[in-house]
Amino acid sequence: MTVYQANFLKGSLMIPESRIVARLLLSDPDEQGWRQAILEENILQKRTRNTAKTQAGIIRQRLHTMPKALWQWVANGSPETTRQALLAATVKLSPLLGDFMRLTLKDLCHSFQETLPSLAWQRYMDDRRQQEPDMPHWSDATHGKLRQNAYRILCEAGFLTDTQTLTLRRVFITPEVISCLEAHREEYALSCLQVCP
């Protein structure tokens, strides 16, 4: 049974911040070193300590779902490779987003649709509720925020041109990301990313 959580409410891909956090994690800091870098040195350059702590925590959670080999691509890959490696970690932590890509986005791409229907997210959520009766019940505001962030993430990853027209784009996953995910048997994340024919 899939456990869905509303755990991408407070941030999209956060690409620049994720590069920084990945480099920090690759240095294998202890908890004191982590706090020193995030809160005292403010390596994410955030206005408040709370924002820095929240964003760094989300990114660390995402990256910890994946092997260190993927962190290297987040930290030092090309812009495209970094985006895709980060998306892989994001869908691994957030299967609510991953399944949207696997089920809805893939179907649209394979039927050569040009845009994401305006009700695509709502239909997906309704379908998930039928399939997963234990799925949490979220408020309308939370539903709206989940949809907003899901679409922002898809834009940042290149699957949508923007959040207004919702024009779909074909994305080809880089060999580096494919090899890394295959080598570490991350089949679910790979299936979420490889939605374009």
Side-chain angles (χ1 to χ4, degrees):
M1 185 181 77
T2 302
V3 179
Y4 289 129
Q5 298 178 13
N7 57 7
F8 53 98
L9 285 171
K10 294 186 178 179
S12 51
L13 281 187
M14 299 181 284
I15 296 167
E17 295 89 348
S18 295
R19 279 189 182 272
I20 294 168
V21 170
R23 289 171 187 150
L24 174 61
L25 290 175
L26 285 166
S27 72
D28 198 24
D30 59 17
E31 199 57 34
Q32 183 178 348
W34 170 267
R35 288 179 56 83
Q36 174 70 24
I38 299 300
L39 300 179
E40 307 305 327
E41 298 171 20
N42 192 19
I43 61 171
L44 297 186
Q45 297 293 295
K46 298 301 172 183
R47 291 183 181 178
T48 69
R49 289 165 63 96
N50 191 51
T51 299
K53 181 180 178 181
T54 299
Q55 291 191 359
I58 292 168
I59 294 165
R60 179 165 65 168
Q61 272 189 297
R62 289 174 177 174
L63 293 178
H64 273 165
T65 67
M66 286 290 175
K68 286 187 177 181
L70 194 85
W71 303 359
Q72 292 279 4
W73 291 118
V74 173
N76 303 308
S78 68
E80 187 175 17
T81 298
T82 292
R83 282 195 305 270
Q84 293 175 5
L86 193 52
L87 180 62
T90 302
V91 298
K92 178 82 177 286
L93 181 67
S94 305
L96 185 65
L97 173 63
D99 284 355
F100 179 73
M101 296 184 71
R102 266 188 338 110
L103 301 172
T104 300
L105 211 60
K106 183 175 184 176
D107 183 58
L108 292 169
C109 288
H110 280 252
S111 58
F112 300 103
Q113 297 295 313
E114 295 185 357
T115 59
L116 189 63
S118 59
L119 293 177
W121 182 261
Q122 186 59 54
R123 288 173 181 156
Y124 162 72
M125 293 292 277
D126 292 344
D127 176 70
R128 290 295 83 204
R129 182 150 318 278
Q130 286 187 350
Q131 300 297 322
E132 305 284 346
D134 294 330
M135 183 171 154
H137 286 272
W138 294 301
S139 69
D140 289 345
T142 298
H143 273 278
K145 188 68 173 175
L146 285 169
R147 175 187 180 277
Q148 179 184 25
N149 275 1
Y151 290 3
R152 281 179 61 198
I153 288 169
L154 292 174
C155 284
E156 291 174 347
F159 289 87
L160 293 175
T161 56
D162 58 78
T163 57
Q164 302 303 314
T165 65
L166 300 179
T167 302
L168 293 164
R169 293 178 62 201
R170 295 180 70 188
V171 175
F172 298 99
I173 308 307
T174 65
E176 296 88 349
V177 172
I178 292 174
S179 296
C180 184
L181 294 177
E182 286 181 342
H184 293 89
R185 298 182 179 179
E186 295 290 349
E187 291 92 354
Y188 175 76
L190 192 56
S191 71
C192 294
L193 269 60
Q194 291 185 312
V195 296
C196 298

